[in-house]
Amino acid sequence: MIYFPTLIPREEKAQYLYLVLFCIDYTYLFSLITGGFIFLICKNIYKAIGDIVNAYRVKLKRRILSNVPWTITAMSNDISFFKSIILMVSEVEEAFGILVLLLYATIMCVFFNTVSVMLQQSHTFLKAPATIIYNIGNFLTATITVIQMSHYGSHIASQIQCLKREMVVCSDKFIRSSPPKSTMDVFHYLFEIVMKSQIEVTGYGLFVINYSLILAIVSTMITYSVLILQLDNKK
């Protein structure tokens, strides 16, 4: 049942029905397109960041295997490149952090609405096949979005951890080569930058996008579902 304001005469409500349905469909489609656009942008950017970090790690690994001497010039280039990665992630956070936060807020609203409707027992309209299909579609879309975002967010963190392991291997081999003190100082600076770096993507600094976020969302939805069932049983 669609509610019409009392200002609209009863005999004219039928004329506004199609307009109301159009507004509902337009709002839903516009929200879906906007959310999908934000999701595609963030997914591709996160994937690109992870690939860049992986390329940097592969470069260091090849240097280890090829026995190329570690020079100050080469390590200075490595430091500059790694700093550019950190700056790139910071710029991405500043540009898209608020969009990611709004995207996750929309996803949580979809989850809450879907759970509320699916657990509601008092209205037969909410149990109609069309309503069930609509809610399942929304739930699957939100779930896939969360999994994809968490995957690419965790991909960045995993590549950083792999890079740190490569730096440990590099440091062992570098020390064994007995380099001069000036070269040792530059390598130590590079090692400190990589090991102390915390490159991660967040939702405007409020939460980190990784697989652990999925567990937090699931636990929240389970708690919400239990509360809905308890309140519904008390009626």
Side-chain angles (χ1 to χ4, degrees), residues 103-116:
L103 177 62
Y104 271 88
T106 303
I107 291 172
M108 292 305 299
C109 290
V110 171
F111 281 138
F112 282 127
N113 291 335
T114 302
V115 171
S116 299

